[in-house]
mmCIF file of all heavy atoms in Angstrom:
data_model
loop_
_atom_site.group_PDB
_atom_site.id
_atom_site.type_symbol
_atom_site.label_atom_id
_atom_site.label_comp_id
_atom_site.label_asym_id
_atom_site.label_seq_id
_atom_site.Cartn_x
_atom_site.Cartn_y
_atom_site.Cartn_z
ATOM 1 N N TYR A 163 -39.528 203.468 79.897
ATOM 2 C CA TYR A 163 -40.014 204.061 78.638
ATOM 3 C C TYR A 163 -38.972 204.982 78.015
ATOM 4 O O TYR A 163 -38.655 204.865 76.832
ATOM 5 C CB TYR A 163 -41.335 204.783 78.861
ATOM 6 C CG TYR A 163 -42.440 203.879 79.348
ATOM 7 C CD1 TYR A 163 -43.001 204.046 80.610
ATOM 8 C CD2 TYR A 163 -42.906 202.820 78.558
ATOM 9 C CE1 TYR A 163 -44.000 203.201 81.075
ATOM 10 C CE2 TYR A 163 -43.893 201.958 79.036
ATOM 11 C CZ TYR A 163 -44.450 202.166 80.276
ATOM 12 O OH TYR A 163 -45.411 201.322 80.727
ATOM 13 N N ASP A 164 -38.447 205.880 78.846
ATOM 14 C CA ASP A 164 -37.436 206.806 78.337
ATOM 15 C C ASP A 164 -36.173 206.076 77.936
ATOM 16 O O ASP A 164 -35.569 206.380 76.881
ATOM 17 C CB ASP A 164 -37.066 207.878 79.393
ATOM 18 C CG ASP A 164 -38.273 208.774 79.731
ATOM 19 O OD1 ASP A 164 -39.273 208.751 78.989
ATOM 20 O OD2 ASP A 164 -38.206 209.456 80.764
ATOM 21 N N ILE A 165 -35.749 205.104 78.750
ATOM 22 C CA ILE A 165 -34.534 204.333 78.426
ATOM 23 C C ILE A 165 -34.716 203.567 77.124
ATOM 24 O O ILE A 165 -33.859 203.571 76.245
ATOM 25 C CB ILE A 165 -34.192 203.347 79.575
ATOM 26 C CG1 ILE A 165 -33.768 204.130 80.836
ATOM 27 C CG2 ILE A 165 -33.102 202.377 79.171
ATOM 28 C CD1 ILE A 165 -33.623 203.235 82.076
ATOM 29 N N GLY A 166 -35.876 202.903 76.987
ATOM 30 C CA GLY A 166 -36.137 202.139 75.774
ATOM 31 C C GLY A 166 -36.125 203.026 74.524
ATOM 32 O O GLY A 166 -35.536 202.663 73.507
ATOM 33 N N ARG A 167 -36.752 204.182 74.608
ATOM 34 C CA ARG A 167 -36.771 205.129 73.490
ATOM 35 C C ARG A 167 -35.366 205.556 73.125
ATOM 36 O O ARG A 167 -34.995 205.540 71.938
ATOM 37 C CB ARG A 167 -37.608 206.377 73.892
ATOM 38 C CG ARG A 167 -37.605 207.488 72.847
ATOM 39 C CD ARG A 167 -37.987 208.796 73.439
ATOM 40 N NE ARG A 167 -37.027 209.202 74.476
ATOM 41 C CZ ARG A 167 -37.303 209.917 75.551
ATOM 42 N NH1 ARG A 167 -38.525 210.327 75.772
ATOM 43 N NH2 ARG A 167 -36.380 210.227 76.443
ATOM 44 N N ASN A 168 -34.579 205.917 74.147
ATOM 45 C CA ASN A 168 -33.226 206.405 73.862
ATOM 46 C C ASN A 168 -32.337 205.302 73.250
ATOM 47 O O ASN A 168 -31.546 205.578 72.334
ATOM 48 C CB ASN A 168 -32.559 206.965 75.113
ATOM 49 C CG ASN A 168 -33.269 208.248 75.591
ATOM 50 O OD1 ASN A 168 -34.010 208.853 74.853
ATOM 51 N ND2 ASN A 168 -33.011 208.634 76.852
ATOM 52 N N LEU A 169 -32.475 204.065 73.749
ATOM 53 C CA LEU A 169 -31.707 202.959 73.202
ATOM 54 C C LEU A 169 -32.041 202.729 71.712
ATOM 55 O O LEU A 169 -31.153 202.518 70.913
ATOM 56 C CB LEU A 169 -31.957 201.668 73.986
ATOM 57 C CG LEU A 169 -31.323 201.571 75.365
ATOM 58 C CD1 LEU A 169 -31.811 200.337 76.101
ATOM 59 C CD2 LEU A 169 -29.788 201.562 75.249
ATOM 60 N N LEU A 170 -33.324 202.742 71.409
ATOM 61 C CA LEU A 170 -33.728 202.491 70.034
ATOM 62 C C LEU A 170 -33.216 203.629 69.123
ATOM 63 O O LEU A 170 -32.716 203.388 68.034
ATOM 64 C CB LEU A 170 -35.235 202.324 69.916
ATOM 65 C CG LEU A 170 -35.752 201.956 68.541
ATOM 66 C CD1 LEU A 170 -35.171 200.658 68.041
ATOM 67 C CD2 LEU A 170 -37.269 201.882 68.496
ATOM 68 N N ALA A 171 -33.392 204.861 69.605
ATOM 69 C CA ALA A 171 -32.942 206.013 68.794
ATOM 70 C C ALA A 171 -31.426 205.973 68.544
ATOM 71 O O ALA A 171 -30.944 206.192 67.446
ATOM 72 C CB ALA A 171 -33.344 207.320 69.466
ATOM 73 N N GLN A 172 -30.687 205.586 69.627
ATOM 74 C CA GLN A 172 -29.221 205.531 69.475
ATOM 75 C C GLN A 172 -28.797 204.443 68.481
ATOM 76 O O GLN A 172 -27.877 204.602 67.736
ATOM 77 C CB GLN A 172 -28.559 205.219 70.853
ATOM 78 C CG GLN A 172 -28.492 206.452 71.739
ATOM 79 C CD GLN A 172 -28.358 206.087 73.232
ATOM 80 O OE1 GLN A 172 -27.985 204.956 73.564
ATOM 81 N NE2 GLN A 172 -28.646 207.031 74.110
ATOM 82 N N ALA A 173 -29.542 203.325 68.492
ATOM 83 C CA ALA A 173 -29.230 202.242 67.537
ATOM 84 C C ALA A 173 -29.541 202.644 66.099
ATOM 85 O O ALA A 173 -28.904 202.199 65.161
ATOM 86 C CB ALA A 173 -30.005 200.973 67.901
ATOM 87 N N ALA A 174 -30.536 203.562 65.966
ATOM 88 C CA ALA A 174 -30.993 203.911 64.624
ATOM 89 C C ALA A 174 -30.202 205.014 63.951
ATOM 90 O O ALA A 174 -29.974 204.981 62.738
ATOM 91 C CB ALA A 174 -32.484 204.321 64.684
ATOM 92 N N VAL A 175 -29.785 206.004 64.759
ATOM 93 C CA VAL A 175 -29.198 207.212 64.143
ATOM 94 C C VAL A 175 -27.874 206.925 63.448
ATOM 95 O O VAL A 175 -27.079 206.146 63.943
ATOM 96 C CB VAL A 175 -28.999 208.309 65.235
ATOM 97 C CG1 VAL A 175 -28.120 209.434 64.749
ATOM 98 C CG2 VAL A 175 -30.370 208.858 65.653
ATOM 99 N N GLY A 176 -27.692 207.540 62.304
ATOM 100 C CA GLY A 176 -26.463 207.342 61.513
ATOM 101 C C GLY A 176 -26.704 206.316 60.419
ATOM 102 O O GLY A 176 -27.815 206.213 59.929
ATOM 103 N N THR A 177 -25.674 205.566 60.075
ATOM 104 C CA THR A 177 -25.747 204.627 58.986
ATOM 105 C C THR A 177 -25.891 203.203 59.523
ATOM 106 O O THR A 177 -25.134 202.779 60.396
ATOM 107 C CB THR A 177 -24.462 204.707 58.108
ATOM 108 O OG1 THR A 177 -24.337 206.045 57.644
ATOM 109 C CG2 THR A 177 -24.542 203.776 56.912
ATOM 110 N N THR A 178 -26.906 202.476 59.037
ATOM 111 C CA THR A 178 -27.155 201.079 59.409
ATOM 112 C C THR A 178 -27.440 200.318 58.136
ATOM 113 O O THR A 178 -27.802 200.906 57.117
ATOM 114 C CB THR A 178 -28.341 200.937 60.378
ATOM 115 O OG1 THR A 178 -29.467 201.599 59.803
ATOM 116 C CG2 THR A 178 -28.042 201.588 61.754
ATOM 117 N N SER A 179 -27.335 198.988 58.181
ATOM 118 C CA SER A 179 -27.701 198.209 56.984
ATOM 119 C C SER A 179 -28.072 196.800 57.337
ATOM 120 O O SER A 179 -27.672 196.279 58.394
ATOM 121 C CB SER A 179 -26.572 198.239 55.946
ATOM 122 O OG SER A 179 -25.417 197.623 56.473
ATOM 123 N N TYR A 180 -28.874 196.224 56.484
ATOM 124 C CA TYR A 180 -29.286 194.792 56.614
ATOM 125 C C TYR A 180 -29.857 194.343 55.294
ATOM 126 O O TYR A 180 -30.563 195.118 54.615
ATOM 127 C CB TYR A 180 -30.357 194.618 57.716
ATOM 128 C CG TYR A 180 -30.675 193.171 57.987
ATOM 129 C CD1 TYR A 180 -29.921 192.430 58.890
ATOM 130 C CD2 TYR A 180 -31.730 192.537 57.285
ATOM 131 C CE1 TYR A 180 -30.187 191.093 59.117
ATOM 132 C CE2 TYR A 180 -31.979 191.196 57.514
ATOM 133 C CZ TYR A 180 -31.230 190.481 58.448
ATOM 134 O OH TYR A 180 -31.504 189.147 58.653
ATOM 135 N N GLY A 181 -29.578 193.126 54.926
ATOM 136 C CA GLY A 181 -30.169 192.531 53.739
ATOM 137 C C GLY A 181 -29.911 193.318 52.475
ATOM 138 O O GLY A 181 -30.769 193.401 51.599
ATOM 139 N N GLY A 182 -28.733 193.946 52.405
ATOM 140 C CA GLY A 182 -28.363 194.690 51.194
ATOM 141 C C GLY A 182 -28.964 196.084 51.100
ATOM 142 O O GLY A 182 -28.814 196.738 50.088
ATOM 143 N N VAL A 183 -29.661 196.526 52.165
ATOM 144 C CA VAL A 183 -30.204 197.864 52.178
ATOM 145 C C VAL A 183 -29.449 198.710 53.214
ATOM 146 O O VAL A 183 -29.268 198.259 54.345
ATOM 147 C CB VAL A 183 -31.714 197.860 52.546
ATOM 148 C CG1 VAL A 183 -32.314 199.260 52.440
ATOM 149 C CG2 VAL A 183 -32.487 196.872 51.654
ATOM 150 N N THR A 184 -29.006 199.905 52.817
ATOM 151 C CA THR A 184 -28.309 200.803 53.727
ATOM 152 C C THR A 184 -29.194 201.999 54.034
ATOM 153 O O THR A 184 -29.802 202.585 53.147
ATOM 154 C CB THR A 184 -26.974 201.231 53.113
ATOM 155 O OG1 THR A 184 -26.201 200.060 52.845
ATOM 156 C CG2 THR A 184 -26.187 202.158 54.057
ATOM 157 N N TYR A 185 -29.265 202.314 55.331
ATOM 158 C CA TYR A 185 -30.130 203.393 55.811
ATOM 159 C C TYR A 185 -29.301 204.549 56.403
ATOM 160 O O TYR A 185 -28.266 204.281 57.031
ATOM 161 C CB TYR A 185 -31.044 202.880 56.930
ATOM 162 C CG TYR A 185 -31.897 201.696 56.564
ATOM 163 C CD1 TYR A 185 -31.440 200.404 56.897
ATOM 164 C CD2 TYR A 185 -33.101 201.851 55.907
ATOM 165 C CE1 TYR A 185 -32.211 199.312 56.545
ATOM 166 C CE2 TYR A 185 -33.863 200.733 55.560
ATOM 167 C CZ TYR A 185 -33.410 199.465 55.904
ATOM 168 O OH TYR A 185 -34.188 198.376 55.591
ATOM 169 N N SER A 186 -29.774 205.755 56.218
ATOM 170 C CA SER A 186 -29.241 206.917 56.928
ATOM 171 C C SER A 186 -30.389 207.547 57.730
ATOM 172 O O SER A 186 -31.415 207.942 57.157
ATOM 173 C CB SER A 186 -28.662 207.919 55.912
ATOM 174 O OG SER A 186 -28.272 209.075 56.609
ATOM 175 N N THR A 187 -30.204 207.622 59.042
ATOM 176 C CA THR A 187 -31.320 208.031 59.916
ATOM 177 C C THR A 187 -30.966 209.236 60.762
ATOM 178 O O THR A 187 -29.882 209.303 61.307
ATOM 179 C CB THR A 187 -31.694 206.840 60.826
ATOM 180 O OG1 THR A 187 -32.047 205.718 60.025
ATOM 181 C CG2 THR A 187 -32.870 207.210 61.749
ATOM 182 N N THR A 188 -31.881 210.183 60.803
ATOM 183 C CA THR A 188 -31.710 211.357 61.684
ATOM 184 C C THR A 188 -32.842 211.373 62.715
ATOM 185 O O THR A 188 -33.919 210.821 62.486
ATOM 186 C CB THR A 188 -31.771 212.665 60.868
ATOM 187 O OG1 THR A 188 -32.987 212.676 60.126
ATOM 188 C CG2 THR A 188 -30.595 212.769 59.921
ATOM 189 N N ALA A 189 -32.539 212.003 63.873
ATOM 190 C CA ALA A 189 -33.520 212.051 64.962
ATOM 191 C C ALA A 189 -33.761 213.483 65.377
ATOM 192 O O ALA A 189 -32.864 214.326 65.293
ATOM 193 C CB ALA A 189 -33.009 211.264 66.172
ATOM 194 N N ARG A 190 -34.948 213.781 65.794
ATOM 195 C CA ARG A 190 -35.225 215.023 66.471
ATOM 196 C C ARG A 190 -36.287 214.793 67.520
ATOM 197 O O ARG A 190 -37.136 213.906 67.354
ATOM 198 C CB ARG A 190 -35.583 216.129 65.475
ATOM 199 C CG ARG A 190 -37.005 216.194 65.044
ATOM 200 C CD ARG A 190 -37.175 217.183 63.924
ATOM 201 N NE ARG A 190 -38.301 216.767 63.086
ATOM 202 C CZ ARG A 190 -39.543 217.097 63.358
ATOM 203 N NH1 ARG A 190 -39.826 217.884 64.385
ATOM 204 N NH2 ARG A 190 -40.526 216.654 62.601
ATOM 205 N N ASN A 191 -36.251 215.567 68.601
ATOM 206 C CA ASN A 191 -37.194 215.391 69.676
ATOM 207 C C ASN A 191 -38.341 216.373 69.590
ATOM 208 O O ASN A 191 -38.149 217.536 69.238
ATOM 209 C CB ASN A 191 -36.464 215.620 71.033
ATOM 210 C CG ASN A 191 -35.631 214.431 71.418
ATOM 211 O OD1 ASN A 191 -35.776 213.329 70.899
ATOM 212 N ND2 ASN A 191 -34.714 214.650 72.397
ATOM 213 N N VAL A 192 -39.522 215.876 69.910
ATOM 214 C CA VAL A 192 -40.710 216.701 69.854
ATOM 215 C C VAL A 192 -41.398 216.643 71.220
ATOM 216 O O VAL A 192 -41.483 215.581 71.834
ATOM 217 C CB VAL A 192 -41.699 216.129 68.782
ATOM 218 C CG1 VAL A 192 -43.025 216.830 68.809
ATOM 219 C CG2 VAL A 192 -41.044 216.263 67.393
ATOM 220 N N THR A 193 -41.844 217.786 71.703
ATOM 221 C CA THR A 193 -42.613 217.804 72.937
ATOM 222 C C THR A 193 -44.021 218.302 72.632
ATOM 223 O O THR A 193 -44.263 218.803 71.532
ATOM 224 C CB THR A 193 -42.003 218.711 73.999
ATOM 225 O OG1 THR A 193 -41.794 220.009 73.436
ATOM 226 C CG2 THR A 193 -40.663 218.163 74.510
ATOM 227 N N GLY A 194 -44.946 218.152 73.560
ATOM 228 C CA GLY A 194 -46.292 218.650 73.369
ATOM 229 C C GLY A 194 -47.291 217.580 72.895
ATOM 230 O O GLY A 194 -48.470 217.811 72.818
ATOM 231 N N LEU A 195 -46.776 216.407 72.523
ATOM 232 C CA LEU A 195 -47.667 215.329 72.084
ATOM 233 C C LEU A 195 -48.245 214.600 73.288
ATOM 234 O O LEU A 195 -49.352 214.071 73.270
ATOM 235 C CB LEU A 195 -46.933 214.344 71.179
ATOM 236 C CG LEU A 195 -46.479 214.870 69.829
ATOM 237 C CD1 LEU A 195 -45.611 213.824 69.118
ATOM 238 C CD2 LEU A 195 -47.660 215.248 68.968
ATOM 239 N N ILE A 196 -47.439 214.543 74.373
ATOM 240 C CA ILE A 196 -47.851 213.856 75.593
ATOM 241 C C ILE A 196 -47.279 214.647 76.773
ATOM 242 O O ILE A 196 -46.133 215.130 76.701
ATOM 243 C CB ILE A 196 -47.349 212.418 75.580
ATOM 244 C CG1 ILE A 196 -47.866 211.634 76.797
ATOM 245 C CG2 ILE A 196 -45.826 212.312 75.467
ATOM 246 C CD1 ILE A 196 -47.567 210.131 76.700
ATOM 247 N N ALA A 197 -48.041 214.759 77.828
ATOM 248 C CA ALA A 197 -47.587 215.485 79.021
ATOM 249 C C ALA A 197 -46.562 214.622 79.769
ATOM 250 O O ALA A 197 -46.749 213.402 79.860
ATOM 251 C CB ALA A 197 -48.741 215.851 79.929
ATOM 252 N N PRO A 198 -45.488 215.234 80.282
ATOM 253 C CA PRO A 198 -44.548 214.438 81.085
ATOM 254 C C PRO A 198 -45.263 213.928 82.370
ATOM 255 O O PRO A 198 -46.230 214.536 82.788
ATOM 256 C CB PRO A 198 -43.454 215.412 81.436
ATOM 257 C CG PRO A 198 -43.804 216.748 80.914
ATOM 258 C CD PRO A 198 -45.105 216.649 80.192
ATOM 259 N N GLY A 199 -44.749 212.849 82.921
ATOM 260 C CA GLY A 199 -45.318 212.350 84.171
ATOM 261 C C GLY A 199 -45.826 210.926 84.021
ATOM 262 O O GLY A 199 -45.562 210.273 83.016
ATOM 263 N N SER A 200 -46.563 210.480 85.040
ATOM 264 C CA SER A 200 -47.032 209.086 85.039
ATOM 265 C C SER A 200 -48.554 208.968 84.959
ATOM 266 O O SER A 200 -49.097 207.883 85.068
ATOM 267 C CB SER A 200 -46.524 208.390 86.307
ATOM 268 O OG SER A 200 -47.012 209.059 87.439
ATOM 269 N N ASP A 201 -49.250 210.104 84.724
ATOM 270 C CA ASP A 201 -50.708 210.073 84.619
ATOM 271 C C ASP A 201 -51.172 209.108 83.542
ATOM 272 O O ASP A 201 -50.881 209.296 82.358
ATOM 273 C CB ASP A 201 -51.199 211.473 84.249
ATOM 274 C CG ASP A 201 -52.001 212.105 85.373
ATOM 275 O OD1 ASP A 201 -51.832 211.623 86.514
ATOM 276 O OD2 ASP A 201 -52.772 213.044 85.132
ATOM 277 N N GLY A 202 -51.918 208.093 83.922
ATOM 278 C CA GLY A 202 -52.464 207.144 82.941
ATOM 279 C C GLY A 202 -51.471 206.173 82.384
ATOM 280 O O GLY A 202 -51.796 205.360 81.509
ATOM 281 N N VAL A 203 -50.193 206.270 82.848
ATOM 282 C CA VAL A 203 -49.134 205.444 82.243
ATOM 283 C C VAL A 203 -49.057 204.089 82.936
ATOM 284 O O VAL A 203 -49.071 203.995 84.157
ATOM 285 C CB VAL A 203 -47.778 206.168 82.305
ATOM 286 C CG1 VAL A 203 -46.682 205.303 81.699
ATOM 287 C CG2 VAL A 203 -47.840 207.519 81.584
ATOM 288 N N ASN A 204 -48.948 203.056 82.114
ATOM 289 C CA ASN A 204 -48.902 201.668 82.618
ATOM 290 C C ASN A 204 -47.759 201.481 83.606
ATOM 291 O O ASN A 204 -46.655 201.997 83.387
ATOM 292 C CB ASN A 204 -48.708 200.730 81.424
ATOM 293 C CG ASN A 204 -49.285 199.352 81.655
ATOM 294 O OD1 ASN A 204 -50.074 199.152 82.583
ATOM 295 N ND2 ASN A 204 -48.939 198.414 80.820
ATOM 296 N N HIS A 205 -47.984 200.736 84.659
ATOM 297 C CA HIS A 205 -47.006 200.438 85.716
ATOM 298 C C HIS A 205 -46.628 201.690 86.506
ATOM 299 O O HIS A 205 -45.704 201.618 87.327
ATOM 300 C CB HIS A 205 -45.736 199.792 85.142
ATOM 301 C CG HIS A 205 -45.999 198.615 84.238
ATOM 302 N ND1 HIS A 205 -46.539 197.439 84.703
ATOM 303 C CD2 HIS A 205 -45.764 198.419 82.908
ATOM 304 C CE1 HIS A 205 -46.656 196.578 83.697
ATOM 305 N NE2 HIS A 205 -46.209 197.144 82.609
ATOM 306 N N GLY A 206 -47.328 202.831 86.281
ATOM 307 C CA GLY A 206 -47.025 204.032 87.044
ATOM 308 C C GLY A 206 -45.636 204.588 86.842
ATOM 309 O O GLY A 206 -45.103 205.321 87.686
ATOM 310 N N ILE A 207 -45.018 204.223 85.709
ATOM 311 C CA ILE A 207 -43.636 204.699 85.454
ATOM 312 C C ILE A 207 -43.677 206.036 84.703
ATOM 313 O O ILE A 207 -44.236 206.112 83.623
ATOM 314 C CB ILE A 207 -42.869 203.629 84.623
ATOM 315 C CG1 ILE A 207 -42.741 202.338 85.442
ATOM 316 C CG2 ILE A 207 -41.527 204.180 84.143
ATOM 317 C CD1 ILE A 207 -42.176 201.162 84.647
ATOM 318 N N ALA A 208 -43.104 207.069 85.321
ATOM 319 C CA ALA A 208 -43.123 208.367 84.685
ATOM 320 C C ALA A 208 -42.275 208.384 83.414
ATOM 321 O O ALA A 208 -41.281 207.679 83.321
ATOM 322 C CB ALA A 208 -42.607 209.419 85.685
ATOM 323 N N GLN A 209 -42.692 209.231 82.490
ATOM 324 C CA GLN A 209 -41.868 209.447 81.264
ATOM 325 C C GLN A 209 -41.704 210.951 81.099
ATOM 326 O O GLN A 209 -42.457 211.729 81.683
ATOM 327 C CB GLN A 209 -42.493 208.759 80.065
ATOM 328 C CG GLN A 209 -44.017 208.918 79.891
ATOM 329 C CD GLN A 209 -44.411 210.259 79.350
ATOM 330 O OE1 GLN A 209 -43.745 210.776 78.445
ATOM 331 N NE2 GLN A 209 -45.481 210.823 79.874
ATOM 332 N N ASP A 210 -40.731 211.340 80.270
ATOM 333 C CA ASP A 210 -40.340 212.744 80.259
ATOM 334 C C ASP A 210 -41.112 213.603 79.227
ATOM 335 O O ASP A 210 -40.827 214.800 79.056
ATOM 336 C CB ASP A 210 -38.813 212.862 79.993
ATOM 337 C CG ASP A 210 -38.376 212.169 78.711
ATOM 338 O OD1 ASP A 210 -39.237 211.863 77.885
ATOM 339 O OD2 ASP A 210 -37.145 211.996 78.542
ATOM 340 N N GLY A 211 -42.080 213.016 78.545
ATOM 341 C CA GLY A 211 -42.910 213.801 77.590
ATOM 342 C C GLY A 211 -42.243 214.054 76.256
ATOM 343 O O GLY A 211 -42.754 214.828 75.438
ATOM 344 N N ILE A 212 -41.103 213.406 76.027
ATOM 345 C CA ILE A 212 -40.389 213.594 74.751
ATOM 346 C C ILE A 212 -40.723 212.431 73.804
ATOM 347 O O ILE A 212 -40.704 211.283 74.214
ATOM 348 C CB ILE A 212 -38.865 213.658 74.990
ATOM 349 C CG1 ILE A 212 -38.499 214.930 75.763
ATOM 350 C CG2 ILE A 212 -38.087 213.559 73.664
ATOM 351 C CD1 ILE A 212 -37.049 214.991 76.185
ATOM 352 N N VAL A 213 -41.057 212.792 72.579
ATOM 353 C CA VAL A 213 -41.229 211.799 71.514
ATOM 354 C C VAL A 213 -40.123 212.025 70.508
ATOM 355 O O VAL A 213 -39.873 213.157 70.081
ATOM 356 C CB VAL A 213 -42.604 211.921 70.843
ATOM 357 C CG1 VAL A 213 -42.729 210.956 69.674
ATOM 358 C CG2 VAL A 213 -43.705 211.703 71.865
ATOM 359 N N THR A 214 -39.360 210.973 70.156
ATOM 360 C CA THR A 214 -38.290 211.100 69.183
ATOM 361 C C THR A 214 -38.773 210.717 67.788
ATOM 362 O O THR A 214 -39.340 209.618 67.613
ATOM 363 C CB THR A 214 -37.079 210.239 69.600
ATOM 364 O OG1 THR A 214 -36.621 210.659 70.905
ATOM 365 C CG2 THR A 214 -35.934 210.385 68.614
#
Side-chain angles (χ1 to χ4, degrees):
Y163 298 116
D164 296 345
I165 292 171
R167 175 200 62 212
N168 293 345
L169 285 173
L170 184 60
Q172 282 159 18
V175 166
T177 302
T178 53
S179 62
Y180 186 87
V183 184
T184 301
Y185 305 95
S186 173
T187 302
T188 54
R190 83 189 151 85
N191 284 343
V192 172
T193 53
L195 294 173
I196 184 171
S200 61
D201 247 19
V203 179
N204 209 14
H205 308 295
I207 295 171
Q209 44 77 40
D210 58 14
I212 292 173
V213 176
T214 301

